[in-house]
Amino acid sequence: MSILFSPLTVRDVTTRNRLWVAPMCQYSAVDGVPQEWHHTHLAQFASGGAGLVVAEATAVSPEGRISPEDVGIWNDEQRRAWEPITAAVRSRGAVAGVQLAHAGRKASTWSPFAGGSGSVPASDGGWEALAPSALAYEGYATPRALDTAGIDAVVADFAAAAARSIDAGFQVLEIHAAHGYLLHEFLSPLSNERTDEYGGSLENRARLLLRVVGAVRDAAPRAPLFVRFSATDWADGGLDVDETATVARWAADAGADLFDISSGGLVAHQRITPAPGYQVGLADHVRREAGVPVNAVGLIYDAAQAEQILQDGEADAIMAGREWLRDPHFALRAAGELGEEISYWPKQYVRARRRLA
């Protein structure tokens, strides 16, 4: 059997394969409540053979949304709306995961479908963004720097969202500390100019993340806990992959189990040259230096590419995003490409399992 189609167990949860669906924002919620679109969107990937399906960045508080159309899990109405969605994913043989998020200074922005750019004003349903320091992302409104009470509230919000997520039927929790959102903003010296215990040294800049990891672990003691990192800011003076590996070790000690390694998103002047698998080396570095399991993500298009990453020991699992959007049955197709006989083709689709010449 290929590594890609071998199971992976994290704590008490086993995914049937290592080809996973990355969290992808849909900007289609109403007051943070997921809609029928989210149900169909996520369930189709489970039907398509995914091992793990991770729901998009899900705000832990109203002010933690990227846009007014983001999903959330800060109240019980949202929890109830997630329940049939997680049940649909699980009933199709996949593991249901959720990415818990706070957008920080990149909150209260127009969704891609809204026609605006930059920050949403209060008159149009926007709100004041929060951040480690009063430094705006380019083109956005200046955020308010969190005080100590505000930081404590963020930790409490993540813990409450974690407990509510388990009640909603999610089996895996991921903390979003990447792509320029709040926890990443604290980690990077480009967005964190604090002079208190949450700024300055790497240990101080990582303090909020580690508090969140500990609080989420306490709220969900048995659930597999992932952390998504931007391993580098792709900008001079920013967070780099060596620092990320150090923080990953600390986060593992605090209760995290696996690390989802992405990159970028913190500053508009980042310099990235995307190419197939361009972030795999970052995942490999964190895996080796921190001694922790990781998944690779980013422009991973086909089965052979994904399998080779695992064969080379650069990652323990693969997340993909756009390829699942192009083909919601990516895993079924990938199994055929690798010559794997899997047992979880939907019986309704089994007639298409083999293509006749």
Side-chain angles (χ1 to χ4, degrees):
M1 179 177 285
S2 67
I3 300 177
L4 189 64
F5 283 92
S6 65
L8 181 65
T9 299
V10 182
R11 293 189 180 254
D12 295 333
V13 175
T14 299
T15 63
R16 59 190 174 186
N17 60 47
R18 302 177 188 223
L19 185 53
W20 300 346
V21 179
M24 293 177 282
C25 287
Q26 299 296 290
Y27 305 107
S28 300
V30 178
D31 295 328
V33 177
Q35 304 294 300
E36 189 276 336
W37 174 265
H38 299 89
H39 190 131
T40 301
H41 168 68
L42 295 170
Q44 67 180 342
F45 302 132
S47 296
L52 168 66
V53 178
V54 184
E56 65 197 83
T58 301
V60 300
S61 62
E63 62 273 14
R65 292 171 293 167
I66 303 166
S67 79
E69 291 76 36
D70 278 27
V71 292
I73 195 156
W74 67 80
N75 65 39
D76 287 339
E77 180 186 6
Q78 295 157 358
R79 173 187 57 77
R80 288 190 295 269
W82 280 116
E83 288 174 359
I85 298 173
T86 62
V89 170
R90 297 194 316 271
S91 71
R92 290 161 171 79
V95 170
V98 63
Q99 185 183 69
L100 302 178
H102 191 300
R105 70 179 186 174
K106 294 175 80 174
S108 189
T109 57
W110 294 99
S111 81
F113 319 135
S117 62
S119 299
V120 179
S123 59
D124 288 320
W127 58 91
E128 184 180 37
L130 304 172
S133 303
L135 300 172
Y137 184 85
E138 185 176 329
Y140 293 4
T142 300
R144 173 166 57 88
L146 284 161
D147 59 16
T148 301
I151 289 173
D152 290 345
V154 167
V155 176
D157 287 340
F158 269 95
R164 199 171 280 116
S165 296
I166 297 300
D167 289 344
F170 287 108
Q171 300 156 278
V172 169
L173 307 177
E174 176 169 280
I175 295 169
H176 199 352
H179 300 165
Y181 299 126
L182 184 67
L183 298 180
H184 182 189
E185 292 163 18
F186 270 84
L187 287 172
S188 177
L190 295 179
S191 49
N192 183 347
E193 294 184 347
R194 300 178 73 97
T195 57
D196 63 2
E197 66 269 32
Y198 292 96
S201 68
L202 180 62
E203 182 178 14
N204 282 356
R205 286 182 277 123
R207 191 179 305 278
L208 175 56
L209 171 63
L210 299 180
R211 285 189 63 193
V212 168
V213 170
V216 170
R217 172 52 67 216
D218 289 344
R222 299 185 61 183
L225 178 56
F226 298 1
V227 177
R228 172 165 271 197
F229 282 121
S230 280
T232 174
D233 289 335
W234 300 110
D236 291 342
L239 188 72
D240 63 35
V241 68
D242 288 321
E243 290 181 315
T244 300
T246 297
V247 177
R249 283 198 301 272
W250 295 341
D253 290 342
D257 299 304
L258 185 144
F259 297 89
D260 176 5
I261 306 302
S262 187
S263 69
L266 184 84
V267 291
H269 63 271
Q270 64 185 14
R271 292 290 179 265
I272 303 177
T273 304
Y278 73 105
Q279 296 177 149
V280 173
L282 300 172
D284 179 43
H285 186 92
V286 173
R287 187 177 191 265
R288 287 185 290 103
E289 294 301 314
V292 295
V294 304
N295 71 257
V297 65
L299 300 187
I300 298 173
Y301 295 137
D302 58 52
Q305 177 194 16
E307 176 67 19
Q308 194 62 55
I309 292 166
L310 301 182
Q311 291 282 356
D312 291 343
E314 295 175 299
D316 300 275
I318 301 296
M319 277 195 187
R322 291 175 178 87
E323 195 60 28
W324 282 104
L325 297 183
R326 283 185 283 265
D327 179 5
H329 303 117
F330 181 24
L332 302 182
R333 188 189 84 219
E337 291 174 356
L338 294 177
E340 288 292 337
E341 292 291 337
I342 57 175
S343 62
Y344 41 88
W345 265 79
K347 64 184 179 181
Q348 296 89 343
Y349 292 174
V350 75
R351 75 191 75 173
R353 188 169 186 168
R354 286 178 175 79
R355 179 181 297 175
L356 299 178

